[in-house]
Amino acid sequence: MLVFVILGYALLSIYEFFPLYKENKQKEFYVNLVLGIISFTMAILISLRINIPSPAEAIKIVINYILKAFAM
Amino acid sequence: MVIIVEKNTKKHIFKKAKSFEGKTKDEKNTNNSGKLTKSLNRNITIFQSSFSNDDTVIFRKFQNQYSDKIKCCIIIIEGMTDIEHINRRVIEPLQNQVFQRPKSSVNLVDEVQNKVLPVNDVRQSTRLNEMIKAVCYGDTVLLLDGCDVALIISSRGWESRPISEPESGKVVRGPREGFTESIIKNVSLIRRKIKNPNLKFKLMELGKQTHTAICITYIEGIALDSILTELEQRLNRIDIDGILDSGYVQELIQDEPLSPFPTVGSSERPDVVVAKMLEGRVAIIVDGSPFVLTVPHILVESIQINEDYYNHFLFGSFNRFLRAASAIATISIPAVYLAIVTYHQEMIPTQLLISISASLEGVPLPTSLSLIIMMLIFDILREAGTRMPTAIGQAVNIVGTLVLGQAAVDAHLVSSPVIIVTAISGITTFMHPTMIESVVILRLVLIIAASFLGIYGYLIGVILILLHLLSIRSFGVPYMMGLTRLEEHDGQDSWIRAPWWSMTLRPKIIGARNQIRQTSRHNR
Amino acid sequence: MIRERITDKEATCLLILFLLGSSILVGIGVRAKNDAWLAGILGVVFFIPFALIYARIQSIFHGRDIFEITILLYGKVFGRILIIIFSWYSFHLGALVLRNFCEFVHVESFPETPLIVITLCFITINIAAARSGIEVIARIATFCLPVVIILFLLMEILSISTMDFNNIKPILGNGFSKVADVGFSSFSFPFAESVILLGVFYTLKKRESAVKVYMKGVLAAGIVLITLTLVNIFVLGNMIEDYYFPSYASFSFIKVGDFIQRMEGTIAISYVLTSFIKSSICLFVACKGIAAVFNLNHYKFIVIQTGLIMAYFSLILYDNIEEMVDWFQNIYQFYAIPFQIIFPLFIWVCAEIRNRSEKRDQSGKGKKGV
């Protein structure tokens, strides 16, 4: 699983990052790099079956708190 | 088959092509001094050194029977020239006519050109390059003793195929003549249909070794300048050693080289090409190829067949609907069958499901694999059938029916529904001959997609194809034009073929320059 | 770069499909049981003033996308914060739609295939669509809409035999307050989600067309959704709440003769098409937003990575389908308030003030000139 992820991202970076770097589009390259790193970490975490905390839970807690505050 | 000799009429259209000479390096190397001398024998030696090791070049020396001083030599290549024409119109008058040698040598050339040769296309030349090139093209070079100027006499003529009905795109109703390999004949076929000075022919030469003549044809006032300039730019960019068929040009000027869909059209029929030119397209005739290219080419043209326009419009529309439906069917049926049988069996009515699963009994391969293999076998048979001589073709047919037939089912190699699906899909392929290349690929892609995710995989594949179709363009024209954005007059000639009296406008964008096809709506 | 342009017709198709996306899947106002259709009507009625506001924003700043407008109104710093909020919503919504649809495929057709495989397959077409630009998405929408509508009509006609028209009674059996409450949630899902389309409609040709497109699109989508809800109620009755995917369930009862039965597989086609359009638009707008925040030349460079993050994000959002449905029914309408109501109001008020003062300035200058 992990091997597939790394292989996939290696191919993707050849397809995506190198042209950007060659064309000297620095800003695009860096933004894309940051996004790429985020998605790569997420992919690895998912492939290792590590639980990533879901923002849906946090939102639920916050909204319930606000609703209670209004209901008071 | 009747073999006719192409007469050397209309040679003037090649003059422009001739002016391209002297561009390539290898020609310059053969040229020692670049100029002729006054001695006939020395001139002949120069030519012989240029054409060394080429035994097809004929050097024929002769002189006038009344004056020994007039010695001549003609240089021609066997097979490229109209020998009869040269014998009667060049050698005979030079040998038999009485004329005096003028005092200055230049005058002799003038004398011969003006008074002796009864030939329409003769010109003087002093440049060796030009002469060598002319000989290569099949023209005759006439050298005269004592002159450093030679005459180039147009004498091209070779045997070529007569105009006959093309093998592809046969019609029941409609003109039966087709283009041939000769560019002159092809040009005349188009000119015969559009008798109008606005019909323009631009000549070019492509191929560093082959010097293939290429002719861009369009109707001025209808064709868009932007398409024309774009086409000329792309043609000028071509830097290839040889062009043997218009397929070379087609691939070199395509918008989307990786796309399975053709963005340059080709046809073997003058009526089709002329109809496209009347819509504002530009045609490219390539010497040596009976397939004339037209740009821009959009998807709708694959379901437009010339006979639609010659038959009753209802019948034409019906046929067009059949073609569109079978285009969708041919790529979809195998994938949808596979998806339903493997993943969505609940959609099949129970009775049918029982018989299908009975037929799957004992078949070793999974449905997806057997479907792919059967499609491949079908494609192999199709490919083998097209190249076979007719006699062997029948043997292929018999073997093919056995493989794709009851024998295979009886042997439990494949299930019978797979054979039916393959057969339907295979037959519908031939409804649009121009699309075969793309259909074969897309069908396999969709089968593979459906074998992964069932009907969802199939839909993902279809959406990807649609996205691709919608994003590509041919010479600036959206490829799906006429099929989407159906506004006024746009749908008249796409999903249906509207009656002629109502098609008053040319298609948008392509015919934008001169939109009006008919002035009156009511001229029936 | 050639400016992209979409016609009014395409924009309407886009809006309708956007509104139908994933709402035809999970149904609207299902908590109101057999009053769900009333909740749907209320949702449309609530939404119409907001539709006018959205359209007004677009027609004041004709030809500019929401990101340019925000920066123009609120400056570079605060404007960027607003853009981040807006694109977050677009991103999150895209992930929700994706999750919804993939969960449907996973539960109903491919229980053994891991969810991630389905999600990755589906995000591929979203990425491809977002990369080819809004013009292509809009043209695909014109293809998809007739298919979707025809399929629905066919299904609805075929399911007449399974309908029980008494299911609709008692009307307002659970009281009006319940209907009003659910009406609000059907306002936020799906109708007010069309705030995302502010990031798309800068491509419209005419200044006035935004209002027309919004009104036509919302009404058409409302009619389709309410009919669908009615059909679901007629077939399923009060059990409508018990199904994750009510329309899929109600169409599975179809049985005409021996041949036409279990047609729900066919309706999955329209789920694919609508969800595809919706999540593609969300991805497109999110990418445009990110590009606007970092002032990139073109959004195309970041589509692949954003799409992948969106896919992973949709996977980690919930652990299972119950959690998803619960979140959708109880939390979403409150979560969406800032994006659907506050954000556009912010922009609209500021835009109106600016518009007025600009007009006054112009007329003032005119007078001075005289």
Side-chain angles (χ1 to χ4, degrees):
Chain A
M1 190 81 171
L2 197 66
V3 181
F4 280 117
V5 169
I6 291 168
L7 206 68
Y9 271 84
L11 288 176
L12 200 64
S13 64
I14 290 170
Y15 174 70
E16 241 202 336
F17 292 126
F18 278 97
L20 276 181
Y21 192 73
K22 266 187 197 160
E23 284 169 39
N24 214 8
K25 290 181 175 158
Q26 291 208 338
K27 214 161 29 172
E28 280 82 2
F29 177 72
Y30 286 118
V31 172
N32 211 354
L33 193 67
V34 171
L35 289 170
I37 288 168
I38 296 174
S39 80
F40 184 55
T41 13
M42 282 174 92
I44 283 195
L45 288 178
I46 290 174
S47 69
L48 293 176
R49 294 173 197 282
I50 294 171
N51 220 352
I52 309 170
S54 156
E57 279 301 305
I59 293 167
K60 190 175 178 179
I61 293 164
V62 171
I63 282 176
N64 280 336
Y65 181 77
I66 294 172
L67 282 181
K68 262 178 209 158
F70 269 101
M72 282 277 189
Chain B
M1 197 160 78
V2 188
I3 291 176
I4 57 160
V5 174
E6 201 159 277
K7 291 279 178 268
N8 54 343
T9 48
K10 293 201 177 174
K11 289 290 152 52
H12 57 279
I13 67 161
F14 281 93
K15 274 187 184 156
K16 220 169 176 185
K18 279 173 194 162
S19 64
F20 275 81
E21 81 254 331
K23 266 188 182 171
T24 43
K25 275 181 189 168
D26 49 357
E27 274 168 24
K28 274 176 191 159
N29 292 341
T30 59
N31 172 15
N32 302 329
S33 61
K35 285 266 158 63
L36 290 180
T37 58
K38 293 222 168 190
S39 150
L40 179 64
N41 284 333
R42 210 176 294 161
N43 285 344
I44 292 173
T45 326
I46 293 173
F47 272 97
Q48 270 167 343
S49 69
S50 297
F51 287 110
S52 58
N53 292 331
D54 186 349
D55 298 337
T56 60
V57 184
I58 298 172
F59 296 88
R60 164 80 162 90
K61 279 192 264 182
F62 55 91
Q63 46 181 279
N64 189 275
Q65 59 176 315
Y66 302 106
S67 154
D68 288 351
K69 281 177 187 172
I70 300 172
K71 289 180 184 166
C72 330
C73 176
I74 56 171
I75 306 168
I76 51 176
I77 294 184
E78 220 177 333
M80 298 283 287
T81 24
D82 187 353
I83 299 279
E84 193 59 28
H85 173 76
I86 292 296
N87 287 348
R88 281 219 326 271
R89 300 296 169 97
V90 180
I91 301 180
E92 200 185 315
L94 278 168
Q95 279 181 334
N96 296 338
Q97 221 162 304
V98 187
F99 64 97
Q100 286 303 308
R101 186 186 176 101
K103 275 157 205 161
S104 112
S105 67
V106 181
N107 289 354
L108 175 64
V109 175
D110 281 342
E111 180 91 6
V112 170
Q113 184 180 5
N114 294 338
K115 296 184 182 165
V116 180
L117 296 177
V119 180
N120 68 341
D121 188 7
V122 185
R123 64 184 199 279
Q124 298 184 3
S125 171
T126 52
R127 298 216 310 278
L128 202 53
N129 268 338
E130 193 182 351
M131 286 178 244
I132 289 172
K133 189 148 189 178
V135 172
C136 287
Y137 271 95
D139 289 339
T140 306
V141 169
L142 174 66
L143 300 172
L144 294 161
D145 192 24
C147 301
D148 55 0
V149 179
L151 286 174
I152 297 176
I153 303 155
S154 143
S155 63
R156 289 172 204 190
W158 48 81
E159 283 165 4
S160 70
R161 193 163 63 90
I163 293 170
S164 58
E165 181 167 17
E167 285 292 309
S168 69
K170 292 216 177 207
V171 288
V172 177
R173 164 128 194 219
R176 291 193 207 287
E177 56 187 6
F179 288 119
T180 67
E181 282 77 7
S182 150
I183 189 168
I184 308 161
K185 270 189 205 167
N186 293 351
V187 165
S188 72
L189 277 173
I190 291 178
R191 205 190 271 281
R192 260 189 259 163
K193 292 215 188 281
I194 309 174
K195 300 170 196 78
N196 186 339
N198 283 337
L199 179 66
K200 303 291 179 194
F201 294 95
K202 276 191 190 172
L203 277 156
M204 299 179 70
E205 206 170 76
L206 286 181
K208 280 181 293 187
Q209 301 292 334
T210 56
H211 299 291
T212 313
I214 278 177
C215 180
I216 304 173
T217 314
Y218 60 97
I219 303 177
E220 198 170 67
I222 298 179
L224 275 182
D225 286 338
S226 58
I227 292 172
L228 210 59
T229 45
E230 175 70 33
L231 175 66
E232 273 172 14
Q233 267 176 16
R234 288 188 196 178
L235 284 174
N236 284 329
R237 266 208 309 260
I238 293 179
D239 176 40
I240 193 173
D241 59 342
I243 287 181
L244 303 181
D245 185 77
S246 54
Y248 286 41
V249 181
Q250 176 171 7
E251 207 159 303
L252 289 165
I253 60 172
Q254 244 176 20
D255 283 65
E256 301 283 333
L258 296 177
S259 167
F261 292 97
T263 48
V264 175
S266 65
S267 174
E268 234 181 321
R269 291 183 172 270
D271 53 325
V272 175
V273 170
V274 168
K276 290 185 176 178
M277 283 164 69
L278 283 172
E279 287 187 347
R281 292 187 176 84
V282 182
I284 306 149
I285 311 168
V286 178
D287 194 20
S289 169
F291 285 90
V292 172
L293 308 177
T294 50
V295 290
H297 180 83
I298 54 177
L299 188 65
V300 138
E301 286 171 61
S302 339
I303 58 166
Q304 291 172 334
I305 303 278
N306 52 353
E307 225 176 315
D308 291 350
Y309 301 97
Y310 309 146
N311 285 327
H312 191 277
F313 72 94
L314 281 177
F315 186 58
S317 302
F318 175 68
N319 280 345
R320 193 168 281 185
F321 164 75
L322 281 187
R323 246 171 262 128
S326 67
I328 297 167
T330 190
I331 60 169
S332 299
I333 284 181
V336 170
Y337 168 77
L338 176 63
I340 290 180
V341 165
T342 20
Y343 294 109
H344 313 280
Q345 283 159 354
E346 76 277 357
M347 283 175 70
I348 311 172
T350 327
Q351 293 297 319
L352 192 58
L353 185 63
I354 291 168
S355 71
I356 286 178
S357 42
S359 74
L360 285 173
E361 197 84 9
V363 175
L365 294 173
T367 316
S368 54
L369 208 56
S370 65
L371 203 52
I372 290 174
I373 289 174
M374 288 315 272
M375 292 305 329
L376 284 179
I377 290 177
F378 180 82
D379 287 332
I380 289 168
L381 286 173
R382 176 184 55 77
E383 184 63 22
T386 43
R387 307 267 173 277
M388 285 287 160
T390 337
I392 309 173
Q394 284 180 344
V396 172
N397 277 342
I398 294 166
V399 176
T401 33
L402 285 179
V403 175
L404 281 172
Q406 198 58 36
V409 177
D410 287 344
H412 283 291
L413 288 174
V414 283
S415 64
S416 43
V418 166
I419 298 229
I420 296 171
V421 164
T422 314
I424 294 175
S425 164
I427 290 165
T428 41
T429 314
F430 297 112
M431 291 283 279
H432 3 69
T434 54
M435 294 282 284
I436 288 182
E437 296 153 346
S438 37
V439 158
V440 169
I441 296 165
L442 297 181
R443 195 161 49 198
L444 275 181
V445 169
L446 284 184
I447 291 176
I448 291 165
S451 67
F452 278 116
L453 268 183
I455 200 91
Y456 303 103
Y458 163 73
L459 281 174
I460 286 174
V462 168
I463 289 175
L464 279 178
I465 293 169
L466 266 181
L467 281 173
H468 173 70
L469 280 174
L470 283 167
S471 53
I472 60 177
R473 283 164 182 270
S474 168
F475 287 83
V477 179
Y479 198 55
M480 291 285 267
M481 200 193 78
L483 296 174
T484 54
R485 296 202 172 170
L486 296 180
E487 280 153 40
E488 202 189 358
H489 294 297
D490 240 6
Q492 282 184 342
D493 193 15
S494 56
W495 294 108
I496 58 158
R497 198 280 278 180
W500 269 115
W501 38 260
S502 78
M503 276 200 263
T504 52
L505 298 180
R506 286 180 225 284
K508 271 182 193 166
I509 309 183
I510 298 177
R513 185 157 167 200
N514 185 351
Q515 195 86 58
I516 291 152
R517 209 200 274 261
Q518 299 175 26
T519 37
S520 165
R521 244 170 188 278
H522 307 288
N523 53 354
R524 36 183 154 152
Chain C
M1 202 183 85
I2 311 156
R3 243 201 117 82
E4 292 188 301
R5 282 268 170 267
I6 57 176
T7 60
D8 287 7
K9 212 162 134 194
E10 286 167 345
T12 319
C13 293
L14 212 55
L15 181 59
I16 296 172
L17 286 174
F18 183 89
L19 292 176
L20 295 184
S22 87
S23 61
I24 52 172
L25 197 56
V26 295
I28 53 167
V30 281
R31 275 187 305 137
K33 297 186 176 173
N34 61 3
D35 289 332
W37 61 286
L38 278 175
I41 292 175
L42 269 184
V44 177
V45 172
F46 284 157
F47 178 61
I48 282 172
F50 283 92
L52 289 173
I53 290 177
Y54 299 167
R56 175 77 188 148
I57 293 173
Q58 196 59 71
S59 58
I60 289 176
F61 298 100
H62 174 67
R64 289 183 182 181
D65 58 6
I66 187 75
F67 310 112
E68 286 174 51
I69 298 172
T70 320
I71 291 206
L72 197 75
L73 293 177
Y74 287 99
K76 279 196 170 165
V77 181
F78 192 59
R80 276 190 184 161
I81 295 172
L82 285 178
I83 291 177
I84 290 173
I85 292 174
F86 186 75
S87 11
W88 162 256
Y89 179 57
S90 179
F91 175 79
H92 191 176
L93 185 64
L96 285 176
V97 174
L98 203 60
R99 176 62 186 250
N100 244 322
F101 176 73
C102 295
E103 195 73 69
F104 161 75
V105 174
H106 183 58
V107 169
E108 299 286 351
S109 302
F110 295 93
E112 280 134 49
T113 313
L115 195 56
I116 183 162
V117 175
I118 302 170
T119 316
L120 283 179
C121 287
F122 202 63
I123 199 74
T124 323
I125 51 175
N126 290 331
I127 290 172
R131 266 172 87 93
S132 3
I134 195 64
E135 222 177 83
V136 170
I137 302 179
R139 275 199 247 158
I140 268 208
T142 52
F143 267 113
C144 295
L145 188 70
V147 176
V148 171
I149 300 289
I150 288 169
L151 277 179
F152 268 115
L153 280 180
L154 192 73
M155 290 296 161
E156 281 162 9
I157 291 166
L158 286 177
S159 58
I160 284 178
S161 59
T162 56
M163 286 180 192
D164 178 7
F165 293 100
N166 287 324
N167 279 340
I168 204 168
K169 292 176 196 164
I171 295 173
L172 287 177
N174 300 319
F176 186 75
S177 60
K178 178 80 175 170
V179 171
D181 177 28
V182 180
F184 174 62
S185 83
S186 72
F187 158 82
S188 62
F189 171 77
F191 295 108
E193 280 172 356
S194 58
V195 69
I196 299 290
L197 285 168
L198 282 180
V200 168
F201 281 169
Y202 69 95
T203 43
L204 283 175
K205 276 181 179 155
K206 277 178 260 162
R207 189 177 284 273
E208 317 84 65
S209 40
V211 181
K212 252 190 276 171
V213 167
Y214 259 105
M215 287 338 280
K216 268 193 209 165
V218 168
L219 287 179
I223 290 168
V224 173
L225 277 175
I226 289 161
T227 345
L228 186 68
T229 316
L230 277 172
V231 170
N232 290 346
I233 292 168
F234 289 145
V235 177
L236 300 174
N238 269 333
M239 282 162 15
I240 187 170
E241 205 187 7
D242 302 337
Y243 291 96
Y244 297 134
F245 308 112
S247 59
Y248 190 76
S250 74
F251 289 139
S252 69
F253 288 104
I254 292 175
K255 186 168 161 63
V256 179
D258 271 344
F259 196 78
I260 300 173
Q261 52 182 344
R262 299 292 306 275
M263 294 300 283
E264 71 272 23
T266 324
I267 206 70
I269 293 172
S270 49
Y271 297 154
V272 176
L273 297 181
T274 51
S275 306
F276 156 67
I277 295 283
K278 190 168 186 174
S279 48
S280 300
I281 291 173
C282 288
L283 180 60
F284 174 81
V285 174
C287 292
K288 282 217 103 170
I290 295 172
V293 170
F294 295 104
N295 205 8
L296 302 184
N297 286 331
H298 209 289
Y299 74 94
K300 265 179 195 167
F301 305 114
I302 54 171
V303 175
I304 293 183
Q305 295 303 342
T306 318
L308 285 176
I309 299 177
M310 191 187 256
Y312 303 142
F313 187 70
S314 83
L315 284 172
I316 61 164
L317 269 177
Y318 315 107
D319 289 337
N320 49 41
I321 187 166
E322 284 85 13
E323 211 176 301
M324 178 180 97
V325 172
D326 174 60
W327 202 84
F328 241 90
Q329 290 185 349
N330 299 320
I331 308 293
Y332 181 73
Q333 66 266 43
F334 303 109
Y335 166 68
I337 288 174
F339 313 110
Q340 293 177 344
I341 299 176
I342 300 173
F343 172 78
L345 278 180
F346 245 60
I347 303 274
W348 176 56
V349 170
C350 194
E352 283 293 347
I353 293 167
R354 195 187 147 94
N355 200 23
R356 292 268 160 81
S357 65
E358 245 175 32
K359 266 185 192 160
R360 206 180 300 137
D361 277 2
Q362 276 176 1
S363 56
K365 273 176 198 164
K367 272 172 195 167
K368 268 176 201 168
V370 172

